[in-house]
Amino acid sequence: MVQRETKYFLIAVIGTTINITAYVGLLDLQSSIHISHNLGTTSLSITFGCGLLLSLFVTPLLLCNLGAKWTLILGEFGFSVLTLANFYPGYVTIIPGSIAGSMGESFVWTASQVYVANLFLHRPADNEHDADSNGEITDLWFGRFFGILKTCVIWANLISYGVLYGFKSSSISNFTNGNYSNCASNFCYATTKHGSGSYIPHNRNSLYILLGVYLVLQLFSVCLHVFYLEPAERSAAHIPNSTTVVRTSILNIISSSVKSTAYHLTSTDQILMTPIIFYYGFMVSYSLSDFTRAFVSCTLGVEEVGLVMAIYGVFNATMGFGAGKASHMFGLPIVYIVTCSFDIGNYVVQLLFRPEVATRYWVFALAAMLGTSDGIWQTVISISEIVYFRDRLELAFAGVSFWQVLAMTVGFIMSGRVCLKIRLILLISNVVLGCFGYGITETKRRNTRNYLSEENEPILES
């Protein structure tokens, strides 16, 4: 039984990693290669804005009726359409492609997590010890899942770096003028729109080759999941005043889905967890847009984005593995406190950083710090959601996707329109508020557990 679960776990995570490899590689370059008229960040805003609506109204519906497998495949196909649109960039192609890409952003992340959760939470328990051991999914299996999944950042950016840097002329140097006064935390779109030479590849053919590689990877992952991935058992979401979803009509299904999603999003625990989920999405949008453009392209050139973000991916994947084990060993509260303090220090360093030729390698260090935060937060947030909402996983992960996508939409809309210093200050405020909300949620949970234990003691004694 365990071998079967491991087999389908590997098929799910490897296929998803291959598909998201292409998607992430494209995202990392969007704000640079389409800097003209802010087309890149407009595309990202549409992708995540439409994904927000899909997360709220469509994702729970598909998960409950199609299952995690086919919801995942549908999202992966949407990513492929977005890649195709980038072969001929323009508002006529990018906008429809971004809408299709929003299916991937909404469906893939949620469906893959639900698939893995259902795969292991529904293992048959032969005894009480086995039933308790199923809880290991909250740390070990999700740590492995995100650890493997986040290697996509490494592969995506190594492919990007290999193709773009390989076609770059050796006579072109990014560190020639020595004027970086408008880079890093001093970056404002209004002060850099006249100089876009370092943001666009000098050889356009290299970009087409890169997009072709990404498209082949995405189509391969879709075929892998269609033919070799077995559907996983679905958990029953607890809907107020109902135990099953009414299937008499499409209208009833949609109505039930919206009501149950709204019920979950307005629950006390989910409201308290929302700030840290929002912060994570806001941080990712910053890493994919403002950081790559202001710290990497502005100082090193767009050809170096792949290498810098590959470093980001190495630390991202490593911490995806480590965060699950650390949560199991030390407990979630310790991980939250340490990571929150780490992030605040990271943003303060970025505010103070002044790029020069002698300090260029600090950009790699800053990317490593952001990758560390990304790897930890996504894992511990998923663990937290399973701990608090084990009885309604589809709704819980759909809620996570909703708030993350909303945060990323806001972040991409702000990108290129708000100076970096303001973004960094907002990130510091967000992470503090998020950890405070988690602290209240965890305190509430422990108080409830202690109260129930005290009430059960007299019954056991009698």
Side-chain angles (χ1 to χ4, degrees), residues 30-46:
Q30 281 290 303
S31 64
S32 295
I33 61 176
H34 300 319
I35 192 172
S36 178
H37 304 293
N38 242 11
L39 179 61
T41 53
T42 299
S43 169
L44 295 172
S45 301
I46 293 172

Side-chain angles (χ1 to χ4, degrees), residues 185-344:
S185 61
N186 289 329
F187 185 93
C188 285
Y189 185 75
T191 63
T192 58
K193 61 183 179 182
H194 61 275
S196 60
S198 63
Y199 302 97
I200 302 173
H202 297 279
N203 189 329
R204 293 290 298 185
N205 289 333
S206 64
L207 185 58
Y208 296 134
I209 293 173
L210 181 62
L211 291 173
V213 172
Y214 285 161
L215 183 60
V216 169
L217 291 175
Q218 288 173 326
L219 295 178
F220 171 78
S221 71
V222 170
C223 293
L224 179 66
H225 284 163
V226 167
F227 296 110
Y228 296 103
L229 189 65
E230 182 180 278
E233 182 181 353
R234 290 173 285 168
S235 66
H238 286 225
I239 303 172
N241 302 321
S242 178
T243 57
T244 58
V245 177
V246 180
R247 299 172 179 265
T248 55
S249 69
I250 295 296
L251 186 61
N252 283 336
I253 295 174
I254 295 175
S255 175
S256 297
S257 176
V258 171
K259 286 180 181 179
S260 57
T261 302
Y263 170 77
H264 173 75
L265 291 177
T266 55
S267 64
T268 303
D269 287 345
Q270 184 58 62
I271 290 174
L272 290 171
M273 287 296 297
T274 295
I276 195 63
I277 298 171
F278 188 93
Y279 161 73
Y280 173 72
F282 198 60
M283 179 195 69
V284 171
S285 70
Y286 167 78
S287 301
L288 296 179
S289 58
D290 285 326
F291 179 78
T292 57
R293 182 162 56 180
F295 282 85
V296 186
S297 294
C298 187
T299 58
L300 304 176
V302 69
E303 292 85 1
E304 299 281 353
V305 169
L307 182 59
V308 173
M309 295 307 288
I311 301 298
Y312 175 100
V314 169
F315 282 83
N316 192 338
T318 303
M319 291 304 158
F321 281 111
K325 293 185 178 180
S327 301
H328 183 67
M329 292 174 61
F330 305 109
L332 280 174
I334 298 297
V335 177
Y336 269 85
I337 293 171
V338 171
T339 311
C340 179
S341 303
F342 177 83
D343 282 8
I344 293 172

Side-chain angles (χ1 to χ4, degrees), residues 353-404:
F353 176 68
R354 296 294 177 265
E356 298 174 358
V357 175
T359 60
R360 65 175 295 185
Y361 293 107
W362 271 101
V363 174
F364 292 88
L366 294 174
M369 295 170 74
L370 283 173
T372 297
S373 299
D374 189 341
I376 295 174
W377 283 123
Q378 187 167 26
T379 302
V380 299
I381 287 173
S382 295
I383 293 173
S384 301
E385 289 291 303
I386 293 178
V387 169
Y388 298 137
F389 310 110
R390 185 183 293 263
D391 60 340
R392 37 180 160 153
L393 286 178
E394 285 91 347
L395 297 178
F397 283 118
V400 169
S401 178
F402 171 80
W403 288 116
Q404 286 181 359

Side-chain angles (χ1 to χ4, degrees), residues 407-428:
M408 296 178 79
T409 304
V410 172
F412 288 129
I413 291 174
M414 293 176 64
S415 178
R417 299 172 178 86
V418 176
C419 292
L420 236 66
K421 288 183 179 178
I422 297 176
R423 283 292 302 268
L424 289 168
I425 292 171
L426 288 175
L427 283 165
I428 294 173

